[in-house]
Amino acid sequence: MKKIFTLGLGILMLASCSSDDSGSSIDASKLTKKWYYSTTKVLGQTFPYEDHEECGKDYIQFIDGGVFKDVDVWDCEEYEDVANWTLDGKKITLTFFGQSTTATIQKLTDTSLQVTYKDDFNEDGKDETVVETYTSN
């Protein structure tokens, strides 16, 4: 399964202070933590994230100061890609190696993060809407 941030193909998340779509800004304090991959929904199908290991889970992390980490646990060791992140309303932008990608935050609670973005997920030359869901526990 594609990992949005690692591949720099998409970007993610968050919701308003009321933790739904009704607001126009995000409570960044709810965002700055570790978020574990949960599901990807595209073309009407939901795919559970199945690349977690018994010794640890893959995750993304937003850190105060605009630092973003995408951590892959492989053979019980952590491998990380680092990027920068900015937040503007419900839009979050990640910049990896000079390339920026933006996603829309659909939902942000204390335990759930959901973002949408466009990506040619099935490599047919057309962008699909992709919904990524993460949990904080």
Side-chain angles (χ1 to χ4, degrees), residues 50-75:
E50 297 178 340
D51 198 31
H52 295 304
E53 294 195 21
E54 288 184 28
C55 56
K57 292 181 174 183
D58 299 343
Y59 64 89
I60 60 172
Q61 183 175 13
F62 293 92
I63 301 168
D64 285 330
V67 176
F68 172 83
K69 291 183 181 182
D70 182 6
V71 178
D72 184 24
V73 177
W74 180 260
D75 204 19

Side-chain angles (χ1 to χ4, degrees), residues 13-75:
M13 20 294 275
L14 298 102
S16 69
C17 297
S18 63
S19 301
D20 63 17
D21 291 358
S22 63
S24 61
S25 65
I26 301 304
D27 182 351
S29 69
K30 288 186 177 182
L31 180 62
T32 53
K33 62 172 83 175
K34 290 182 182 179
W35 294 99
Y36 299 96
Y37 289 92
S38 180
T39 62
T40 299
K41 183 176 181 179
V42 64
L43 296 171
Q45 294 185 306
T46 301
F47 304 95
Y49 188 79
E50 297 178 340
D51 198 31
H52 295 304
E53 294 195 21
E54 288 184 28
C55 56
K57 292 181 174 183
D58 299 343
Y59 64 89
I60 60 172
Q61 183 175 13
F62 293 92
I63 301 168
D64 285 330
V67 176
F68 172 83
K69 291 183 181 182
D70 182 6
V71 178
D72 184 24
V73 177
W74 180 260
D75 204 19

